Amino acid sequence: MKNINKKISISIIIIASLFIVNGCSDDYLENTKVYAEDSESFFNSEADYYNALVAAYDPLQSTFINVLMGEIASNNTLCGGESATDVAGYQQVDDMIHTPVNAQLQNLWSWMYGGVNRAAYIIEFQDKTDFTGKEVIIGEASFLRAYYNFELVKWFGAIPIKPEGRFVVGDEQTIPRAPVAEVYALIEADLQVAVSNLAYTAPQVGRVTKGAAEALLGKVYLYQDKFTEAAVVLESVINNGSYSLESDYNKIFESQGENGVGSVFEVQYTDVEGAGFGCLQCSEGNVAVGFQGVRGYDGDLFTSGFSFNVPTQEMVDQFEGGDNRKDVAILDIEAWATATGASYTTGYEHTGFFNRKYIPRKRSATAAGDQNLTNPNNYRAIRFADVLLMAAEANNRKATGNDTKAQLYLNTVRARAFGNSDNDITSSGSNLTAAIYKERRVELVGEGHHFFDLVRTGRGAQISGFTANKNEVFPIPLEEIQFSQGNWTQNQGYN
């Protein structure tokens, strides 16, 4: 992780990362070298806990796939790429024809469980050695396990959980897929630990704060329709955290906006280490950025990429006149080429639009390895605007609604977007709910949230090809079902 020391023993990474490559695969373990360092001889010092924490942060960089594929799954974008067979797993998710045999869904499952196990490694041995400040590391580990489990439950629904610590070989045949409510209960418990142990100021740039833990807890409540609880914890972030909206929306997604005043939780990336297609999860750069770049681009400001995740005209039309976010979020390549003299080629499903928030920029330093895979653009996983809009929704939708507060939070975001208060929303009830939903779509477009917003609010049918009572979640990868030897059944509709 950028700004977090990465020089840790490879033995610790391998021990801590059970399932990181092939989920529960015995083959992975058979091909893993056995090292002398193990749980019995580790966690004897503060440095040991810190190094394990770094290892637990590292899989966050693999969440590029969650963001990219999550956006493709929604009705914001088309998959794009070079052709209809370019990264088949993405293409299938875009068309809602994905099956349990999907390499990208397998990657997401494996990489997120790798993160779960690395964080659980620390939690399992949290009482072995005492030192001043250990509660902060335990709080961060608890947040990270919650974060990875939240990604898994969003994508796959019921999943296996192990509150006491790491998964080991054989657990896949004995531990069932826990009901979604049990998964959320564990996530909530972990986040409560994080909230109790962390401060609003991070000990290092990029590390988790109390505000991040509260914001994620609020989101977890919102996903369960626990609107009263969500409103309380999200308003704690608003009132007690040191966050504010960045006055210049454009600045958020440029390098000077990294870890800014509106960043509640941000995944750190860097281009100082090389990467290749043989191990995308090994990249220290944001792989999604290169994937979303303009194909064959030659011109100012940007560099070329692979033309995935292209916004649709319908999405672009969601922006109202005078909304300053439109030109920041959406690159109209034809207009840009006409204005700047840039040239480009078109890819599959070319719409003329690109996700300008996360496409590759020119940079002075030469990146190591494949430049398309090593872009240093941080991912703003939880922004303050997201917190405000979640708080607006929670207040609007709770049993005894407070539409005055909901309007306040919603209109704070809109005032930044338009540069004035002339576009305030004054509606209430279900009309206000619809306005909040629309605002989330335009504020957060390109950031991987919209598919899950549609599903959790019962609007999945807006996605072309979406089948109700099936596509709300994705299939458990076939390999994982096979490893369980009958212990896990497949999600409805995917058999």
Side-chain angles (χ1 to χ4, degrees), residues 392-432:
E393 181 182 343
N395 275 286
N396 167 248
R397 297 183 67 194
K398 66 184 182 179
T400 303
N402 188 332
D403 283 351
T404 300
K405 272 190 178 181
Q407 291 167 358
L408 172 64
Y409 298 139
L410 169 63
N411 289 327
T412 299
V413 175
R414 288 179 62 81
R416 194 259 303 269
F418 291 93
N420 56 58
S421 58
D422 298 340
N423 297 274
D424 282 1
I425 299 294
T426 58
S427 57
S428 59
S430 60
N431 289 332
L432 179 56

Side-chain angles (χ1 to χ4, degrees), residues 348-426:
Y348 177 62
E349 297 182 314
H350 180 70
T351 64
F353 303 113
F354 292 87
N355 178 14
R356 184 168 177 163
K357 291 177 179 177
Y358 290 109
I359 60 174
R361 269 70 168 171
K362 287 186 175 179
R363 50 197 196 271
S364 56
T366 300
D370 188 323
Q371 289 203 19
N372 282 119
L373 305 181
T374 54
N375 282 281
N377 311 54
N378 285 0
Y379 171 57
R380 286 67 168 169
I382 306 176
R383 296 198 284 114
F384 188 56
D386 187 5
V387 172
L388 289 168
L389 293 175
M390 288 192 291
E393 181 182 343
N395 275 286
N396 167 248
R397 297 183 67 194
K398 66 184 182 179
T400 303
N402 188 332
D403 283 351
T404 300
K405 272 190 178 181
Q407 291 167 358
L408 172 64
Y409 298 139
L410 169 63
N411 289 327
T412 299
V413 175
R414 288 179 62 81
R416 194 259 303 269
F418 291 93
N420 56 58
S421 58
D422 298 340
N423 297 274
D424 282 1
I425 299 294
T426 58

Side-chain angles (χ1 to χ4, degrees), residues 249-256 258 271 286 288-294 297 299-305 327-331 336 354-367 371-372 374-378 380:
Y249 188 77
N250 184 58
K251 182 180 177 181
I252 299 170
F253 303 101
E254 301 296 337
S255 59
Q256 69 269 28
E258 291 184 348
D271 62 0
N286 190 338
V289 171
F291 267 68
Q292 295 175 114
V294 182
Y297 182 85
D300 296 337
L301 190 58
F302 308 113
T303 59
S304 66
D327 290 339
V328 175
I330 307 294
L331 174 64
W336 176 263
F354 292 87
N355 178 14
R356 184 168 177 163
K357 291 177 179 177
Y358 290 109
I359 60 174
R361 269 70 168 171
K362 287 186 175 179
R363 50 197 196 271
S364 56
T366 300
Q371 289 203 19
N372 282 119
T374 54
N375 282 281
N377 311 54
N378 285 0
R380 286 67 168 169

Side-chain angles (χ1 to χ4, degrees), residues 29 72 77 110 159 177 219 241 265 310-311 342 387-388 427-428 494:
L29 295 172
I72 288 170
T77 67
S110 298
I159 58 169
R177 293 177 63 193
K219 193 168 196 173
F265 182 59
V310 289
V387 172
L388 289 168
S427 57
S428 59
Y494 291 109

Side-chain angles (χ1 to χ4, degrees), residues 101-326:
V101 181
N102 184 301
Q104 305 312 316
L105 291 171
Q106 176 69 71
N107 284 341
L108 194 152
W109 173 282
S110 298
W111 298 346
M112 293 307 96
Y113 264 113
V116 168
N117 239 33
R118 291 185 183 201
Y121 187 44
I122 301 168
I123 294 168
E124 182 177 336
F125 291 94
Q126 60 182 299
D127 296 325
K128 185 176 181 185
T129 302
D130 288 327
F131 55 89
T132 302
K134 186 178 70 170
E135 72 281 356
V136 174
I137 289 178
I138 301 307
E140 291 178 70
S142 298
F143 173 93
L144 291 169
R145 183 168 72 169
Y147 190 92
Y148 297 127
N149 272 325
F150 182 53
E151 289 300 310
L152 286 161
V153 75
K154 283 193 322 183
W155 283 88
F156 301 106
I159 58 169
I161 56 175
K162 192 173 183 180
E164 64 271 25
R166 294 164 295 167
F167 290 94
V168 297
V169 174
D171 281 348
E172 72 278 7
Q173 297 174 31
T174 60
I175 296 178
R177 293 177 63 193
V180 168
E182 290 184 19
V183 179
Y184 275 123
L186 175 61
I187 292 170
E188 289 177 16
D190 277 345
L191 290 173
Q192 293 287 5
V193 170
V195 169
S196 298
N197 288 336
L198 300 177
Y200 284 108
T201 302
Q204 286 175 280
V205 173
R207 289 174 66 177
V208 177
T209 63
K210 183 185 186 76
E214 289 181 324
L216 183 57
L217 180 58
K219 193 168 196 173
V220 166
Y221 286 144
L222 202 64
Y223 271 60
Q224 300 173 82
D225 290 351
K226 295 181 177 180
F227 302 119
T228 299
E229 295 92 331
V232 170
V233 73
L234 291 167
E235 287 179 22
S236 179
V237 181
I238 294 168
N239 296 326
N240 299 319
S242 58
Y243 311 106
S244 61
L245 292 179
E246 175 64 60
S247 59
D248 181 359
Y249 188 77
N250 184 58
K251 182 180 177 181
I252 299 170
F253 303 101
E254 301 296 337
S255 59
Q256 69 269 28
E258 291 184 348
N259 303 300
V261 294
S263 177
V264 180
F265 182 59
E266 194 158 316
V267 178
Q268 311 294 306
Y269 288 101
T270 179
D271 62 0
V272 299
E273 295 184 32
F277 281 96
C279 186
L280 289 178
Q281 76 272 25
C282 301
S283 179
E284 298 300 320
N286 190 338
V287 172
V289 171
F291 267 68
Q292 295 175 114
V294 182
R295 188 169 290 272
Y297 182 85
D298 184 16
D300 296 337
L301 190 58
F302 308 113
T303 59
S304 66
F306 304 127
S307 67
F308 281 88
N309 198 31
V310 289
T312 64
Q313 183 69 58
E314 188 270 339
M315 173 59 241
V316 175
D317 291 343
Q318 298 302 305
F319 288 96
E320 302 166 50
D323 190 334
N324 297 315
R325 294 171 296 192
K326 179 179 178 180

